[in-house]
Amino acid sequence: MSEAAQTLEGWYALHDFRMIDWSAWKRASEADREAALDELHSFLSVWTGVEERKEGSTAFYSIVGQKADFVFMHLRETLEELNELETAFNKTRLAEYTIPVYSYVSIVELSNYMAQPGTDPMQNPEVAARLKPALPKSKHICFYPMNKRREGSDNWYMLSMDERKTMMRSHGMIGRSYAGRVKQIITGSVGFDDWEWGVTLFSDDALTFKKLVYEMRFDEVSARYGDFGTFYVGNLLDGEKFRTMLSV
Ligand code: VOV
């Protein structure tokens, strides 16, 4: 049996993708639409408070294309909190005009492939900050789920720790060359959702997602062992931008 990688976990994550029911929204009265948007505003300020108290973080982005219209990415201390959050939103007026189209449950994860032997990573403030991150307010988001392949001679889970470490080092080097341009949040979802990881990228330049993901495709760990799900890409929202987006 190969040695399992050790993982460190931080906040639980829920990516909640919604579509707008435009016909219902247009049929609603002006007063109902206003009430729905006001209620969303109060949710957004509650979530800002959570972030200020460092008890979690929420990202709010539109999604381009027909897969969804917007996404909330919530990070919280427990799975119960995520559940409460989701249910509270489902009870809002705005939720009556949305259709849930996709969700992803995972937890912020760091693995020990790059760890310095003999050190306690939890004593490293950088590690602690990466496990419980304030999500960036970058202009763009990109999300997709992925697996490491387990097929015939291309089985990631049968490789030795050393082989995996070598490949992850090369992966990390490519990633690092995008430092300052892309922020990645890797969330583990084995046992939680249909894929093994969620990849969430943030950048002020959407084209950087394409460049980074393409460059990684040529790197062995992605070229040989990466299997990918559906990609979602979009633009930063806030209460005001959402109001504009929904104005009819
Ligand atoms: C800014 C880009 C960037 C950077 C710097 C970066 C670095 C690193 C490091 C140093 C490490 C290992 C230690 C840790 O931190 O866990 C990882 C780990 C991981 N990555 Fe990564 N990654 C990036 C970006 C990045 C992307 C774009 C993808 C998607 C791959 C693609 O082809 O589309 C990805 C995937 C992953 C995964 C699934 C893991 C966990 C693998 C496992 O088997 O456990 N990642 N990653």
Side-chain angles (χ1 to χ4, degrees):
M1 197 179 116
S2 305
E3 181 190 344
Q6 299 299 314
T7 55
L8 295 170
E9 280 79 17
W11 277 333
Y12 282 90
L14 172 65
H15 292 70
D16 184 347
F17 293 87
R18 305 269 169 159
M19 224 172 229
I20 293 155
D21 181 346
W22 287 106
S23 323
W25 182 249
K26 284 198 263 181
R27 275 196 310 270
S29 70
E30 187 70 39
D32 282 350
R33 286 197 294 256
E34 271 310 306
L37 289 172
D38 287 347
E39 198 182 5
L40 177 74
H41 268 260
S42 24
F43 270 68
L44 292 174
S45 27
V46 169
W47 298 339
T48 304
V50 168
E51 191 159 304
E52 283 165 2
R53 292 191 304 277
K54 301 194 188 324
E55 292 166 355
S57 186
T58 292
F60 182 28
Y61 282 83
S62 68
I63 296 295
V64 183
Q66 296 177 356
K67 293 169 195 154
D69 288 313
F70 66 94
V71 60
F72 295 124
M73 175 183 179
H74 298 296
L75 299 181
R76 292 295 185 276
E77 200 68 57
T78 65
L79 207 49
E80 283 84 353
E81 279 170 83
L82 289 181
N83 213 169
E84 281 161 20
L85 201 53
E86 176 187 30
T87 307
F89 180 76
N90 281 334
K91 290 177 188 167
T92 64
R93 288 171 196 236
L94 181 66
E96 290 174 36
Y97 305 103
T98 71
I99 303 155
V101 281
Y102 188 60
S103 68
Y104 206 77
V105 178
S106 54
I107 187 164
V108 179
E109 181 195 283
L110 293 180
S111 54
N112 67 340
Y113 290 121
M114 311 288 271
Q116 302 285 341
T119 59
D120 176 1
M122 291 312 278
Q123 297 308 315
N124 180 343
E126 229 172 85
V127 168
R130 284 183 60 198
L131 290 172
K132 298 183 173 187
L135 295 171
K137 301 277 179 280
S138 307
K139 281 163 73 179
H140 307 286
I141 194 171
C142 171
F143 170 81
Y144 52 102
M146 67 171 287
N147 287 340
K148 291 279 175 77
R149 195 166 300 153
R150 288 196 308 279
E151 244 172 52
S153 57
D154 292 340
N155 187 331
W156 175 256
Y157 297 91
M158 303 278 279
L159 298 175
S160 72
M161 185 63 171
D162 278 347
E163 287 170 304
R164 282 175 284 137
K165 259 189 193 161
T166 305
M167 282 187 252
M168 287 312 293
R169 196 166 299 128
S170 164
H171 167 82
M173 298 279 274
I174 296 179
R176 265 177 220 163
S177 71
Y178 286 81
R181 290 186 285 154
V182 181
K183 167 120 177 118
Q184 91 281 14
I185 310 270
I186 302 298
T187 51
S189 41
V190 171
F192 292 160
D193 218 317
D194 300 345
W195 296 78
E196 295 170 345
W197 288 277
V199 179
T200 312
L201 307 174
F202 295 90
S203 178
D204 283 331
D205 178 5
L207 190 52
T208 314
F209 298 143
K210 179 177 183 293
K211 301 286 183 197
L212 167 64
V213 174
Y214 188 61
E215 188 176 348
M216 283 192 173
R217 289 293 155 101
F218 291 93
D219 186 50
E220 193 172 6
V221 70
S222 293
R224 176 173 274 178
Y225 299 103
D227 279 324
F228 301 93
T230 301
F231 282 68
Y232 295 82
V233 67
N235 309 318
L236 184 66
L237 283 176
D238 58 23
E240 278 322 301
K241 286 188 181 131
F242 191 67
R243 201 175 273 276
T244 308
M245 174 174 155
L246 285 200
S247 100
V248 288

